[in-house]
Amino acid sequence: MGAALDEARAALATDDVPIGAVVLSPDRTVIGAGRNVREADSDPTGHAEVVALRAAAISLGSWRLDGCTLVVTLEPCTMCAGAVVLSRLERLVFGAFDPKAGAVGSLWDVVRDRRLNHRPEVVSGLRAEESAQLLDDFFAQHR
């Protein structure tokens, strides 16, 4: 989670919402990292999770991220939760819950939907206070 928090802090340089993510290989090596780049790249899909998943897929040479873990500072939205399922990740670890847009238990629970063909293990709340504080500070400055 420390590496994901570092990515989140780096997003502040481009005035993007401070959310960071890393993908770990089965041996716990970082194979992909990402931060929100929606503002920096003018990309509506530039969420930290998507950026990290793309980097990991390139690193492995496959879209299938079997055995890998995504660590992200905020509960994924519906788009990112869908990407977690489609990438076949073994595990999703996230920090703070997102009561306004979370799709891993807050508003929806996309990754645990039994109708889907893959359901990763979910670990929530890891360093949640740090993750939430970054977001609180960011939005306090933008209001």
Side-chain angles (χ1 to χ4, degrees):
M1 184 58 82
L5 284 162
D6 289 343
E7 288 291 329
R9 288 182 197 97
L12 294 169
T14 57
D15 207 33
D16 273 288
V17 177
I19 300 170
V22 293
V23 177
L24 306 175
S25 69
D27 69 0
R28 301 287 192 254
T29 303
V30 174
I31 58 170
R35 64 185 73 110
N36 271 11
V37 293
R38 291 187 312 167
E39 298 298 331
D41 293 354
S42 299
D43 179 0
T45 67
H47 290 207
E49 300 95 325
V50 171
V51 174
L53 291 171
R54 286 177 181 153
I58 290 168
S59 176
L60 292 179
S62 174
W63 62 269
R64 293 178 186 270
L65 301 180
D66 297 318
C68 295
T69 299
L70 174 67
V71 181
V72 61
T73 57
L74 184 67
E75 177 185 4
C77 69
T78 53
M79 175 182 70
C80 295
V84 165
V85 171
L86 293 173
S87 65
R88 308 297 194 269
L89 287 166
E90 180 176 320
R91 183 178 303 103
L92 166 65
V93 176
F94 69 89
F97 280 91
D98 184 354
K100 293 182 180 178
V104 186
S106 288
L107 292 180
W108 300 279
D109 202 348
V110 172
V111 300
R112 293 185 193 103
D113 191 318
R114 293 189 180 278
R115 296 169 292 182
L116 298 175
N117 63 342
H118 180 76
R119 288 180 298 285
E121 174 189 353
V122 175
V123 178
S124 60
L126 184 63
R127 296 177 73 173
E129 289 182 21
E130 283 178 80
S131 300
Q133 192 62 56
L134 273 174
L135 292 164
D136 290 346
D137 292 347
F138 176 82
F139 287 113
Q141 293 176 6
H142 287 80
R143 287 189 181 116

